Amino acid sequence: MAGRSVTVLNVAEKPSVAKAVAKILSGNPILRGRDGRSRYNQIFEFDYTIRDQPCRMHFTSVIGHLMELEFDARYRKWHSCDPLDLFQAPVHKTVPEDKKDIKRTLEEEARRCQWLVLWLDCDREGENIAFEVVDVCTAVNPHLTIKRARFSALVPSEIHESVQNLVEPNKWFSDAVDARQEIDLRIGASFTRFQTMLMKDAFNIDTVTDGRNTVLSYGPCQFPTLGFVVERYWEIQAHEPEEFWSINCSHRSDEGTANFSWGRGHLFDYTCAVIIYEMCIEEPTATVTNVRQQEKLKYPPHPLSTIELEKRASRYFRMSSEHTMKAAEELYQGGFISYPRTETDNFSSRTDLRVGHYRMEARKNNKKIAARSKEFYSNTSHKISTDQSSQSRITERSGRPQK
């Protein structure tokens, strides 16, 4: 039943996402926002109905994490304690100075609202940011009704469905991020202080040219990565290139070209390679002694895999991980792809795989692409479901003649 209108504070992870979702829900593509305390985070207002409940929507955003984890003041100075003490030192979350304006905006809006709907990205990091927003808002209004919108793409169908099926935020996901942040802080700070103070005299790294202190930084991720880079560099430096020769053989017929692989692979002796080559020229007729057929399985790449996306973008397009994720983020915000930073390879049961192609048709007005997309989806016999997407595979038969 329709009742008295409630005021709903909606918070997204980025200003661009807040603007896109607000335009979809309001049905107004030229929706204008008003300025809040932060000039980068506007507030959009419009009317909407959630499950027959009239709502006055206030839509704003943060910019990534709202809080930072840090030690108590007495442990922040390098010589205030033994680096080992940092593993037991108290830590707490605070809002840094550059995010104070965003915090004030959330506090002002939360005081006037009855509901808080969290539109943060649907991964563990987004869940953690969601609880940071909850902490700020409930501190000034403890009576807020808190809900979570789960969505994977900025397309109207998914956005409308998610707001009509709000869920509870996942505290376990947020706690997992808190644990990881605390581990990173304790390990990084203790080892950075330890090795910097230990080695600054031995290697004369007290100061650099501009007067700042030099820090030998340590991180649980960056140090192993540095090890891989150095190890690969040593391998390249130790490699001594050596010339080799191989013999290639192929046969052309009406059915196509058959390429034969030399069992020996290659020779490092030029004279031996020439002798074997001349023997082949003198006896140009070859006999196929065996044809072996076997089933070969080719697995498609896992869907929704961020690592696989970065690997293939690097291999085929020579794109760095940073460039790849920036492009993916822009495609996501444009509604062409689902959220790129996922931790699953299963499609949601409500995912419509045709949306990206049809949106491309509408944006680019490319009838050729549209026709091919519709033909592909109408002729596809298999259907990807939540429990089948990671198990799908392509089977092909291959015959390989042997010389």
Side-chain angles (χ1 to χ4, degrees):
M1 287 181 61
R4 182 181 176 184
S5 177
V6 297
T7 306
V8 182
L9 174 58
N10 301 265
V11 183
E13 191 165 322
K14 309 174 189 69
S16 57
V17 175
K19 185 176 182 179
V21 176
K23 286 183 176 182
I24 291 174
L25 294 180
S26 66
N28 183 2
I30 57 172
L31 182 66
R32 300 284 183 179
R34 59 179 171 85
D35 291 334
R37 292 282 185 171
S38 171
R39 60 177 178 171
Y40 303 109
N41 305 81
Q42 288 189 312
I43 304 161
F44 302 90
E45 295 188 24
F46 54 92
D47 294 320
Y48 193 76
T49 301
I50 302 177
R51 289 188 174 274
D52 297 328
Q53 172 63 60
C55 300
R56 181 63 180 174
M57 308 286 268
H58 291 203
F59 219 114
T60 188
S61 64
V62 292
I63 303 177
H65 276 281
L66 186 61
M67 298 180 178
E68 293 179 352
L69 189 68
E70 61 182 8
F71 294 107
D72 286 350
R74 63 180 292 258
Y75 294 95
R76 292 178 198 168
K77 293 184 179 181
W78 277 47
H79 297 281
S80 62
C81 65
D82 189 291
L84 192 62
D85 295 339
L86 296 178
F87 285 99
Q88 302 294 333
V91 294
H92 61 275
K93 278 191 168 185
T94 59
V95 179
E97 284 299 323
D98 61 340
K99 301 290 181 70
K100 287 291 180 64
D101 287 340
I102 299 176
K103 177 188 176 186
R104 295 188 187 101
T105 297
L106 294 176
E107 289 173 339
E108 291 176 359
E109 296 298 322
R111 288 190 179 98
R112 299 183 290 164
C113 295
Q114 290 81 50
W115 290 9
L116 171 62
V117 177
L118 304 161
W119 292 83
L120 290 304
D121 293 342
C122 291
D123 56 8
R124 294 189 180 187
E125 213 71 32
E127 212 72 19
N128 188 258
I129 301 172
F131 277 93
E132 293 175 355
V133 173
V134 170
D135 289 344
V136 169
C137 294
T138 54
V140 297
N141 186 355
H143 303 294
L144 281 170
T145 298
I146 301 168
K147 294 294 180 182
R148 178 74 156 101
R150 297 207 176 278
F151 61 102
S152 60
L154 294 175
V155 293
S157 59
E158 184 132 351
I159 295 301
H160 285 292
E161 183 174 352
S162 63
V163 77
Q164 297 298 335
N165 295 277
L166 299 173
V167 297
E168 300 295 324
N170 193 319
K171 190 67 167 64
W172 287 0
F173 283 180
S174 177
D175 289 345
V177 175
D178 283 337
R180 191 262 305 161
Q181 288 179 343
E182 185 172 341
I183 291 171
D184 288 349
L185 176 64
R186 294 186 185 280
I187 293 177
S190 58
F191 275 89
T192 296
R193 293 187 190 184
F194 172 73
Q195 67 185 12
T196 300
M197 292 188 292
L198 179 67
M199 298 181 182
K200 70 176 182 178
D201 295 329
F203 294 96
N204 193 24
I205 57 171
D206 191 24
T207 58
V208 291
T209 54
D210 60 0
R212 293 179 302 157
N213 289 332
T214 300
V215 174
L216 294 180
S217 177
Y218 179 93
C221 293
Q222 72 187 45
F223 230 65
T225 302
L226 177 61
F228 295 144
V229 173
V230 172
E231 183 179 3
R232 180 58 179 161
Y233 173 78
W234 285 343
E235 291 176 355
I236 294 173
Q237 293 299 111
H239 175 70
E240 296 182 3
E242 188 176 357
E243 287 187 332
F244 63 86
W245 292 265
S246 62
I247 299 175
N248 300 320
C249 179
S250 62
H251 174 69
R252 293 186 181 89
S253 66
D254 295 338
E255 297 180 358
T257 301
N259 296 311
F260 296 87
S261 300
W262 190 18
R264 182 138 189 185
H266 52 257
L267 284 174
F268 293 95
D269 190 315
Y270 175 74
T271 303
C272 290
V274 170
I275 293 174
I276 297 175
Y277 175 72
E278 290 178 347
M279 292 171 59
C280 294
I281 296 298
E282 292 175 0
E283 296 290 340
T285 302
T287 302
V288 177
T289 60
N290 182 32
V291 177
R292 178 165 55 97
Q293 285 189 338
Q294 64 179 7
E295 188 180 70
K296 184 178 180 181
L297 302 179
K298 272 193 174 182
Y299 292 88
H302 285 295
L304 310 177
S305 172
T306 305
I307 295 176
E308 189 68 26
L309 169 66
E310 293 175 333
K311 287 168 57 177
R312 288 176 175 258
S314 175
R315 183 185 308 161
Y316 299 123
F317 304 120
R318 298 294 186 266
M319 293 171 61
S320 66
S321 295
E322 181 181 2
H323 187 188
T324 299
M325 295 313 298
K326 182 178 179 182
E329 190 73 25
E330 291 175 354
L331 289 171
Y332 161 67
Q333 293 178 13
F336 292 106
I337 65 174
S338 60
Y339 182 63
R341 293 181 176 86
T342 55
E343 299 176 356
T344 178
D345 55 9
N346 291 336
F347 287 104
S348 168
S349 58
R350 64 189 186 190
T351 299
D352 186 352
L353 300 179
R354 298 169 294 183
V355 169
H357 289 269
Y358 294 159
R359 285 183 65 81
M360 186 179 293
E361 168 199 358
R363 294 287 181 89
K364 301 298 183 182
N365 195 24
N366 192 321
K367 295 182 179 180
K368 185 176 180 180
I369 292 178
R372 290 180 62 185
S373 299
K374 292 180 180 179
E375 180 182 2
F376 170 78
Y377 283 107
S378 61
N379 294 337
T380 299
S381 58
H382 69 277
K383 184 178 181 181
I384 299 179
S385 62
T386 302
D387 59 346
Q388 292 176 332
S389 61
S390 62
Q391 302 174 10
S392 61
R393 64 185 183 182
I394 301 171
T395 303
E396 66 175 21
R397 300 190 67 83
S398 62
R400 179 177 296 177
Q402 297 180 346
K403 183 178 176 182

